[in-house]
Amino acid sequence: MSAFLLLKGEGYVMIVDLFFQTLHEFELPLIQAFQQIRSPLVDHIFLALNTFDGDSIYVALTIILLNFKGKKIGLHLFYFLVSGHLLSIILKALFIQPRPYDLIPSLEILGTHGYGFPSGAATGACIAFGYLFMIVKPTQYFLRIGTLMMIVLVGVTRVYLGAHFPSD
């Protein structure tokens, strides 16, 4: 039972759990179909793209912004990332949702720990690359498109690796 039991009562928990269970039953075949492209090369590519799951990339990005865009912009990103990380931890504890490989072990390409929903990697990517999108000049089309592509790519990577459902 999730922590919602303490907040809203048992009936609410059952509704939330039923919603996620129904959603996951729909999503698991999609993940299995997506993983049909598996090969050592494709696995290697997606594992390399998974570097955006680590904090070090965001620390580096924050330092770069601090040095090249100023203290205000760098600190904004830092605060947004920390807030997003804390919110992700809280939501994981509240929803207590499995990862795809918890339900079908053969989906696991990347061993990770903790609950699945929401995806901390996708949250970090949305915050970091979304913020970059906002501070980049509108005339820098390719850079803006690149930031949006990174947001999507991180989410797709996590699904391919079996670490998250598309809804995470």
Side-chain angles (χ1 to χ4, degrees):
M1 286 270 158
S2 70
F4 277 117
L5 178 63
L6 300 173
L7 300 174
K8 293 289 184 177
E10 204 165 315
Y12 187 75
V13 171
M14 290 174 62
I15 292 170
V16 170
D17 287 344
L18 180 62
F19 169 76
F20 276 110
Q21 182 181 359
T22 304
L23 186 60
H24 294 340
E25 286 174 5
F26 172 75
E27 292 176 309
L28 282 169
L30 297 175
I31 297 169
Q32 289 174 309
F34 185 29
Q35 284 192 355
Q36 292 300 310
I37 65 170
R38 280 189 76 177
S39 72
L41 176 63
V42 175
D43 286 359
H44 183 72
I45 291 168
F46 277 99
L47 286 168
L49 290 170
N50 192 54
T51 58
F52 293 98
D53 185 30
D55 294 333
S56 58
I57 190 93
Y58 300 120
V59 170
L61 183 58
T62 301
I63 291 170
I64 290 168
L65 288 181
L66 280 167
N67 286 315
F68 293 103
K69 287 291 192 176
K71 184 177 180 180
K72 182 179 176 182
I73 289 177
L75 288 177
H76 280 165
L77 178 61
F78 174 77
Y79 294 138
F80 294 149
L81 286 169
V82 169
S83 298
H85 183 70
L86 292 174
L87 181 61
S88 180
I89 290 170
I90 291 167
L91 291 174
K92 283 178 185 283
L94 286 174
F95 285 101
I96 307 177
Q97 290 301 307
R99 295 181 182 271
Y101 63 74
D102 291 331
L103 304 176
I104 302 176
S106 64
L107 294 177
E108 183 176 9
I109 298 173
L110 172 72
T112 189
H113 62 283
Y115 298 114
F117 177 83
S119 169
T123 301
C126 283
I127 292 169
F129 292 108
Y131 188 66
L132 286 177
F133 178 86
M134 297 302 293
I135 66 170
V136 168
K137 294 176 185 172
T139 56
Q140 294 177 305
Y141 303 112
F142 292 113
L143 194 52
R144 294 188 98 191
I145 290 170
T147 60
L148 295 176
M149 288 176 55
M150 288 306 302
I151 292 170
V152 172
L153 194 56
V154 169
V156 169
T157 297
R158 302 300 288 170
V159 171
Y160 175 83
L161 295 174
H164 288 286
F165 291 96
S167 60
D168 290 351

